[in-house]
């Protein structure tokens, strides 16, 4: 029954369930604080799964701290990622498998991040369609400051208990929230925050924001609006699109108070109200742009000459891709050229797999020459003779990098709150 707290969930988690959780767990990830690899765990798989299951059910399981790793984020900043132990990943996957179907009954269509059958591209399609229906309107481009570092443990557990009353599951999640983070052999256990990187973390974020934002939007905000509006959320990134400016300004004023009740804050510089009206002939103010899930959303011309909403790779993401490729090339400067070419080809195809959307070909084209120039620079350092252009042209003929390619087709999805 929707909205009822489920008291019995953990009975689903048996040895077969744990075996399936193990199958779904990545085997090539970084190791946690205990140093155990997936191969080590698999050496006595059934016994390890049974031990993990027994300790989880009895309450004897102690969640180890996660190992903190700082990943580059662009602009000289880093993003802290928590690396759980492998056995912790398996147990979190088992709990995730039992919670996901329950919450999928509750989650609204406006959320796309880390949900089965949904992707960032579905969210972009929804933004494009909503903007067309609203004629652009006004966009509240919101940025929650350090969401995973500030999420309140007690409030998260209180929200969780509204739907989950199974003691085993609630207890395990509480242990993961309080397990702490290890940095330089020191363990800290803050009262807020959940490390990114855990299997269960994206689902917990969706549960939190479903109550804090999505439910509030549909039950309290939308009924009071004078015009049409739409909420589109991908994990902790979300946009609010409004037909009317006054509606947008009212929500802009009350949103910080709503999030503040749950320990969250909006980034004062990155949160902004963007005029996004469809361009009109004869001049007038130029519509703004905004970034979402790695793309810049803007108005452009269709082949027929009309104004349509388009997406292009955000400049920060393009620069990040170039910087990451250059750093890899410098680390592997003395590797054989065929190996370098194969690795760079995989990186370019992976980039196109995500960013290869209709209308984004020019941005894809910018990446290849930037990668080629840096590749030549790196190869030139391998010899006192350097790497003349004619020699590098031979390398590219012998080991060509893949050409840019549009790999996705836009899909029409409408997610208007009160259309």
């Amino acid at each position: 029954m929707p909205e009822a707290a489920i008291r019995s969930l953990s009975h689903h988690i048996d040895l077969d369930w744990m075996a399936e959780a193990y199958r779904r767990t990545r085997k090539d990830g970084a190791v946690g604080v205990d140093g155990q690899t997936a191969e080590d765990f698999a050496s006595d798989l059934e016994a390890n799964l049974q031990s993990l299951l027994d300790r989880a059910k009895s309450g004897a399981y102690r969640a180890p701290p996660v190992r903190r790793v700082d990943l580059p984020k662009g602009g000289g900043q880093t993003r802290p990622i928590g690396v759980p132990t492998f056995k912790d990943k398996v147990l979190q996957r088992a709990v995730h498998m039992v919670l996901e179907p329950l919450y999928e009954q509750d989650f609204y269509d406006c959320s796309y991040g880390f949900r089965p059958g949904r992707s960032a591209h579905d969210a972009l399609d929804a933004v494009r369609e909503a903007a067309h229906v609203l004629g652009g309107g006004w966009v509240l481009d919101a940025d929650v400051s350090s969401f995973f570092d500030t999420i309140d443990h007690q409030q998260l557990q209180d929200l969780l208990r509204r739907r989950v009353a199974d003691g085993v599951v609630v207890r395990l999640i509480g242990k993961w929230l309080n397990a702490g983070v290890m940095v330089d052999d020191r363990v800290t256990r803050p009262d807020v925050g959940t490390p990114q990187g855990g299997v269960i973390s994206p689902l917990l974020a969706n549960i939190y924001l479903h109550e804090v934002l999505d439910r509030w939007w549909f039950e309290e905000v939308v009924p009071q609006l004078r015009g049409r509006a739409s909420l589109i959320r991908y994990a902790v990134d979300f946009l609010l699109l409004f037909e009317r400016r006054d509606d947008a300004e009212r929500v802009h004023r009350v949103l910080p108070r709503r999030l503040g009740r749950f320990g969250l804050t909006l980034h004062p510089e990155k949160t902004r109200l963007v005029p996004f009206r469809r361009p009109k002939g004869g001049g007038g103010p130029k519509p703004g742009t905004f970034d979402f899930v790695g793309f810049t959303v803007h108005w452009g011309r269709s082949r027929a000459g009309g104004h349509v909403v388009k997406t292009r790779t955000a400049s920060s993401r393009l620069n990040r891709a170039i910087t990451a490729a250059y750093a890899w090339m410098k680390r592997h400067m003395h590797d054989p050229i065929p190996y370098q070419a194969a690795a760079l080809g995989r990186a370019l195809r992976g980039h196109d797999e995500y960013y290869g959307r209709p209308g984004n070909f020019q941005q894809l084209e910018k990446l290849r020459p930037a990668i080629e120039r840096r590749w030549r620079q790196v190869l030139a350092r391998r010899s006192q003779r350097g790497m003349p252009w004619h020699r590098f042209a031979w390398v590219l003929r012998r080991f060509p990098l893949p050409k840019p390619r549009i790999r996705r087709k836009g899909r029409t999805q409408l997610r208007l709150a009160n259309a």
Side-chain angles (χ1 to χ4, degrees):
M1 175 181 175
E3 303 304 317
I6 307 299
R7 296 185 176 277
S8 181
L9 284 173
S10 57
H11 71 278
H12 293 290
I13 306 177
D14 55 17
L15 190 58
D16 289 339
W17 192 278
M18 295 294 292
E20 177 62 17
Y22 165 79
R23 188 189 70 80
R24 297 187 189 185
T25 302
R26 281 187 57 185
K27 312 299 190 295
D28 59 349
V31 298
V33 295
D34 61 355
Q36 185 184 50
T37 65
E39 185 177 336
D40 296 334
F41 189 86
S43 62
D44 194 2
L45 181 60
E46 186 169 344
N48 285 331
L49 290 175
Q50 187 65 62
S51 172
L52 193 58
L53 175 64
D54 292 342
R55 286 182 289 134
K57 291 285 186 81
S58 68
Y61 181 77
R62 296 185 64 183
V66 299
R67 182 170 65 86
R68 175 172 164 167
V69 177
D70 292 322
L71 299 181
K73 169 179 179 179
Q77 298 180 321
T78 60
R79 173 182 285 111
I81 299 293
V83 181
T85 63
F86 184 78
K87 62 176 177 288
D88 217 25
K89 294 177 185 178
V90 174
L91 189 54
Q92 286 190 29
R93 177 61 64 190
V95 172
H96 184 282
M97 286 163 52
V98 82
L99 285 179
E100 185 179 70
L102 172 66
Y103 278 99
E104 278 299 311
Q105 301 177 63
D106 300 346
F107 289 160
Y108 291 100
D109 282 345
C110 67
S111 69
Y112 292 87
F114 303 101
R115 294 183 59 189
R118 288 166 168 256
S119 71
H121 292 277
D122 296 326
L124 278 171
D125 290 338
V127 170
R128 178 180 56 81
E129 181 65 18
H132 274 293
V133 171
L134 297 177
W138 294 80
V139 176
L140 181 53
D141 182 8
D143 186 282
V144 179
S145 297
S146 304
F147 174 86
F148 285 96
D149 295 333
T150 57
I151 186 171
D152 186 274
H153 292 179
Q154 187 58 55
Q155 296 209 65
L156 173 58
Q157 289 180 289
D158 290 343
L159 295 176
L160 185 70
R161 288 190 182 96
R162 294 184 183 181
R163 292 293 278 129
V164 180
D166 185 293
V168 171
V169 173
V170 172
R171 183 170 60 238
L172 282 172
I173 291 177
K175 290 182 176 183
W176 287 321
L177 289 174
N178 295 297
V181 178
M182 178 175 286
V183 182
D184 297 329
D185 296 325
R186 292 183 56 191
V187 178
T188 58
R189 292 183 170 85
D191 295 329
V192 297
T194 176
Q196 290 180 263
V199 174
I200 201 73
S201 296
L203 179 59
L204 295 180
N206 272 335
I207 292 171
Y208 203 72
L209 287 174
H210 168 73
E211 295 291 343
V212 173
L213 179 65
D214 303 355
R215 185 189 293 276
W216 170 74
W217 169 259
F218 285 104
E219 294 185 359
E220 299 184 33
V221 176
V222 169
Q224 300 183 48
L225 298 179
R226 301 177 64 185
R228 295 173 298 175
S230 182
L231 161 65
I232 297 161
R233 179 171 66 82
Y234 186 85
V236 301
D237 297 327
F238 64 93
L239 299 170
L240 298 170
L241 291 83
F242 300 87
E243 183 179 28
R244 296 173 58 100
R245 180 174 181 171
D246 55 348
D247 284 338
E249 291 174 340
R250 286 171 56 206
V251 175
H252 193 188
R253 287 194 298 270
V254 301
L255 182 61
R257 294 199 296 271
R258 172 64 182 182
L259 296 182
R261 289 176 51 190
F262 296 88
L264 303 177
T265 58
L266 289 174
H267 196 292
E269 296 176 0
K270 295 182 180 179
T271 299
R272 60 200 182 104
L273 196 57
V274 180
F276 199 65
R277 305 294 305 178
R278 188 192 305 272
K280 296 180 180 180
K286 187 177 180 180
T289 66
F290 55 93
D291 290 353
F292 187 55
V293 295
F295 289 83
T296 296
V297 184
H298 63 101
W299 284 99
R301 290 282 189 177
S302 69
R303 292 181 179 179
H307 288 100
V308 294
V309 175
K310 294 187 173 184
T311 55
R312 63 172 182 259
T313 310
S315 297
S316 60
R317 296 298 183 93
L318 184 61
N319 293 334
R320 186 188 304 180
I322 296 170
T323 301
Y326 190 36
W328 183 91
M329 285 185 266
K330 289 190 290 187
R331 291 196 305 271
H332 296 265
M333 178 171 59
H334 296 290
D335 289 349
I337 289 178
Y339 174 81
Q340 294 179 351
L344 292 174
R346 287 193 297 271
L348 287 169
R349 283 189 290 270
H351 182 88
D352 288 356
E353 188 63 36
Y354 185 77
Y355 291 102
R357 287 177 61 87
N360 196 35
F361 191 76
Q362 286 186 341
Q363 290 291 86
L364 298 185
E365 281 190 311
K366 291 180 181 179
L367 183 60
R368 266 66 179 177
I371 296 296
E372 290 175 356
R373 285 194 299 271
R374 285 157 180 78
W375 192 19
R376 175 182 168 271
Q377 292 171 8
V378 169
L379 292 178
R381 299 177 187 175
R382 301 188 354 165
S383 169
Q384 291 182 347
R385 294 178 298 175
M387 176 59 67
W389 278 107
H390 72 273
R391 172 65 177 168
F392 185 61
W394 179 89
V395 170
L396 289 179
R397 287 196 301 270
R398 182 71 175 83
F399 306 103
L401 298 180
K403 295 181 179 180
R405 181 180 171 189
I406 297 297
R407 295 178 178 270
R408 294 183 176 272
K409 294 182 179 180
R411 290 187 296 172
T412 299
Q413 290 194 11
L414 180 60
R415 292 291 181 268
L416 283 180
N418 57 344

